[in-house]
Amino acid sequence: MKSQKSTTKQTRFVQNSPIKWVKHWPSGCSLYLILNIYRRMVHKGDLVVIGISVGLTIGIFIASLVFFGIRWYKKRAYLRRCSNVHSASTLPIRSNGRSSTIDSSADTTDSVSVNGLDNLAKKFQISWWSNRDKVRLASASGIPRYSHKDIQKATQNFTTILGHGAFGPVYKATMATGEVVAVKVLASDSQQGEREFQTEVSLLGRLHHRNLVNLVGYCVDKGQHMLIYEFMSNGSLASLLYGQEDRLLSWDERLQIALDISHGIEYLHDGAVPPVIHRDLKSANILLDRSMRAKVADFGLSKEQALDGSKSSLKGTHGYMDPAYISTYQFTTKSDIFSFGVILFELVTAIHPNQNLMAYINLASMSPDGVDDILDKRLVGESNLVVEARSLAVIAHKCLHKTPRKRPSIGEVSQAISKIKQKRLSKEVTMSFAEEDILQVVNRIGFQQVELSKMAAKNVPITV
Ligand SMILES: Nc1ncnc2c1ncn2[C@@H]1O[C@H](COP(=O)(O)OP(=O)(O)OP(=O)(O)O)[C@@H](O)[C@H]1O
């Protein structure tokens, strides 16, 4: 009875289903058989589940295809953007707070060239660096890469040493093009140095300013890392102030150096997007070119302000470090201002921070003309020295304020130094006018005397 009922049910299903048509086709006999067996094995509910599963699988497959397709497209577009960075004729910039565009081919401008490297640089800073990554980052920054052999030849087999820093030795080199450069070779055992190498390449690839030492190449070859900079023939400010060199920096040159450094820092703080904090400003990191124009060097410890949220271990150079940074571990642009204040006092006094400069400054700050006692004695005799040195010392004092937010911004410092320079120039002009007047009077008197003596010789009566 039960089986009869089920047979009736099955017949009804066959009559209502498309299978009933199949069984009437002559060629569909075997298909009918298969479907009939299948129908017996699988319930209607199972068919629904199978249908949904197949549908889902196809859906996931299509979604994955779309997802990976978009990722691949984005990656390709990003890499194309990176490689185009240096060929672009105009780049977005922000100079002193104003948005604008500038020709990237102009070599010396008060401008910032911002490119798509920031994210790449950050990505590389987060993950540890594989050799391939280093090469990719450096080449993406558009800086030419040299082989070990090129550098070996340019430095006459590493014999032209200029000096030695924490990073390693620095050599003078003449490249195949005839360009004279300085090559910093990273000591192979230095992990700190490797991180600094990475920072320098990623930052200097995008920062270009006439008051920053330009990175002109790099080398990652034979397990060695080298940075190639424009050559600064007059060495560092520290060596000129404290070294054995016969060359004495005049007051004029010192004022210009102060202004150059302030422009370099102004570019980092107010021009670069995001702003860059140098973190190791000191007289040894200020280099001078053949015209005695100053440029800021050594960006190994620098950080983009946006990245600088976390507290890291104390870094910098004793004597230049902001006391607020030492107590809070928080480095801001105002910590750079503090270090710059120390450099300004070095220019005025030629006293190194390691020789108790701070104690002298504190003593001098007790009276308005206190700075006169700590002036670099070698400058005595220079015109307007005392007045201008006092003005520069006032600016330097403000930079050293113990409360960081009460220190001036670098823009304000630049303006104040410019004013001293402008006043000096206008005084020089007035003085030279006065000198010219005197010279003219002297000449006229001389000429009249000659005329008189001629007339006297001819016995011509002289009328007054
Ligand atoms: N671009 C350059 N042109 C000419 N000389 C350079 C250049 N870069 C560095 N030097 C010289 O090489 C020497 C070492 O410089 P480096 O920057 O490695 O160390 P430092 O700044 O003296 O010390 P530290 O590494 O502790 O900051 C210095 O005498 C410096 O004047």
Side-chain angles (χ1 to χ4, degrees):
M1 185 65 184
K2 198 180 174 187
S3 79
Q4 215 178 10
K5 216 176 177 181
S6 110
T7 319
T8 329
K9 209 173 157 189
Q10 278 170 11
T11 317
R12 215 181 305 136
F13 171 69
V14 169
Q15 277 168 356
N16 294 335
S17 79
I19 294 171
K20 72 178 178 184
W21 302 109
V22 175
K23 76 175 178 180
H24 299 300
W25 299 341
S27 56
C29 284
S30 50
L31 185 61
Y32 169 73
L33 270 172
I34 294 166
L35 285 173
N36 218 9
I37 293 163
Y38 182 71
R39 181 175 52 78
R40 276 189 204 138
M41 283 166 56
V42 187
H43 285 285
K44 199 180 177 182
D46 294 339
L47 275 172
V48 173
V49 172
I50 289 168
I52 290 171
S53 310
V54 171
L56 266 176
T57 313
I58 293 170
I60 289 169
F61 178 70
I62 292 170
S64 312
L65 270 181
V66 170
F67 175 74
F68 286 112
I70 290 172
R71 269 192 62 168
W72 174 81
Y73 177 77
K74 276 188 176 171
K75 206 169 164 185
R76 246 181 62 130
Y78 178 71
L79 286 174
R80 205 178 307 136
R81 255 201 333 270
C82 282
S83 65
N84 280 343
V85 161
H86 278 262
S87 61
S89 60
T90 58
L91 299 169
I93 65 148
R94 209 192 78 205
S95 189
N96 299 331
R98 291 185 305 272
S99 287
S100 147
T101 58
I102 195 152
D103 189 345
S104 67
S105 59
D107 57 352
T108 54
T109 56
D110 279 335
S111 68
V112 52
S113 58
V114 178
N115 62 37
L117 283 169
D118 298 3
N119 294 337
L120 189 65
K122 280 174 202 161
K123 213 167 109 189
F124 281 118
Q125 271 162 359
I126 292 160
S127 65
W128 186 239
W129 234 24
S130 76
N131 231 17
R132 236 182 74 229
D133 291 339
K134 282 174 220 166
V135 173
R136 241 181 83 198
L137 174 62
S139 44
S141 66
I143 300 162
R145 185 183 173 187
Y146 293 90
S147 69
H148 188 273
K149 210 172 159 190
D150 293 334
I151 308 296
Q152 196 172 20
K153 205 170 160 195
T155 56
Q156 295 164 29
N157 202 16
F158 300 98
T159 55
T160 51
I161 195 146
L162 284 169
H164 216 281
F167 192 90
V170 182
Y171 299 92
K172 186 176 176 180
T174 310
M175 305 308 279
T177 54
E179 188 186 9
V180 180
V181 294
V183 178
K184 262 190 192 187
V185 182
L186 167 65
S188 47
D189 55 346
S190 161
Q191 221 185 57
Q192 160 89 14
E194 192 154 329
R195 227 164 283 141
E196 288 179 18
F197 175 90
Q198 168 198 351
T199 308
E200 292 248 3
V201 175
S202 60
L203 273 182
L204 288 180
R206 75 178 185 93
L207 301 176
H208 302 285
H209 187 272
R210 65 162 169 252
N211 297 116
L212 303 186
V213 175
N214 239 336
L215 185 71
V216 296
Y218 75 100
C219 167
V220 182
D221 194 10
K222 297 200 171 155
Q224 285 215 296
H225 301 85
M226 303 181 210
L227 293 165
I228 305 162
Y229 298 95
E230 60 179 309
F231 181 65
M232 302 294 285
S233 56
N234 274 308
S236 71
L237 176 60
S239 63
L240 281 162
L241 285 175
Y242 315 113
Q244 305 304 318
E245 269 111 280
D246 300 330
R247 178 87 169 73
L248 172 70
L249 282 173
S250 68
W251 179 241
D252 241 344
E253 287 170 331
R254 293 185 200 202
L255 270 183
Q256 186 58 55
I257 289 168
L259 197 58
D260 286 341
I261 305 169
S262 75
H263 284 151
I265 304 171
E266 194 175 0
Y267 168 79
L268 295 176
H269 289 186
D270 297 341
V273 183
V276 171
I277 309 176
H278 187 283
R279 294 174 34 123
D280 199 17
L281 291 171
K282 56 179 177 179
S283 53
N285 283 343
I286 306 299
L287 299 180
L288 296 125
D289 68 10
R290 61 171 177 223
S291 329
M292 278 295 168
R293 297 305 296 263
K295 301 191 186 206
V296 179
D298 253 336
F299 287 78
L301 295 184
S302 303
K303 278 197 177 181
E304 284 173 352
Q305 202 173 34
L307 282 177
D308 204 27
S310 63
K311 293 181 178 183
S312 53
S313 58
L314 277 185
K315 281 180 190 135
T317 304
H318 182 71
Y320 295 88
M321 264 199 261
D322 172 12
Y325 165 60
I326 295 172
S327 56
T328 62
Y329 280 58
Q330 209 89 50
F331 208 103
T332 64
T333 50
K334 294 297 175 83
S335 313
D336 273 354
I337 297 287
F338 182 92
S339 311
F340 183 44
V342 177
I343 298 175
L344 288 180
F345 268 119
E346 285 186 86
L347 284 166
V348 172
T349 64
I351 302 172
H352 194 275
N354 289 348
Q355 298 167 325
N356 279 334
L357 174 61
M358 246 348 151
Y360 285 112
I361 295 171
N362 289 337
L363 273 178
S365 66
M366 289 176 177
S367 66
D369 56 0
V371 76
D372 301 0
D373 301 329
I374 55 171
L375 262 177
D376 184 354
K377 298 288 174 285
R378 296 172 295 176
L379 293 173
V380 172
E382 295 239 18
S383 62
N384 295 316
L385 170 72
V386 174
V387 178
E388 288 166 9
R390 279 182 197 168
S391 305
L392 197 63
V394 168
I395 302 168
H397 266 300
K398 287 183 181 166
C399 294
L400 299 182
H401 200 290
K402 68 176 190 310
T403 313
R405 80 188 144 74
K406 290 197 176 160
R407 294 173 199 154
S409 71
I410 192 61
E412 290 165 334
V413 177
S414 283
Q415 269 186 7
I417 302 173
S418 282
K419 267 190 195 152
I420 301 177
K421 260 230 100 191
Q422 273 163 13
K423 262 192 193 167
R424 182 176 177 79
L425 273 175
S426 61
K427 268 183 196 155
E428 271 171 9
V429 171
T430 332
M431 269 171 54
S432 65
F433 273 141
E435 275 168 15
E436 221 166 82
D437 288 349
I438 292 167
L439 214 72
Q440 272 176 5
V441 172
V442 170
N443 281 344
R444 214 166 46 233
I445 292 170
F447 175 75
Q448 280 174 352
Q449 278 179 353
V450 172
E451 288 295 299
L452 283 172
S453 56
K454 275 182 193 165
M455 286 158 92
K458 287 179 188 166
N459 271 337
V460 178
I462 300 167
T463 49
V464 182

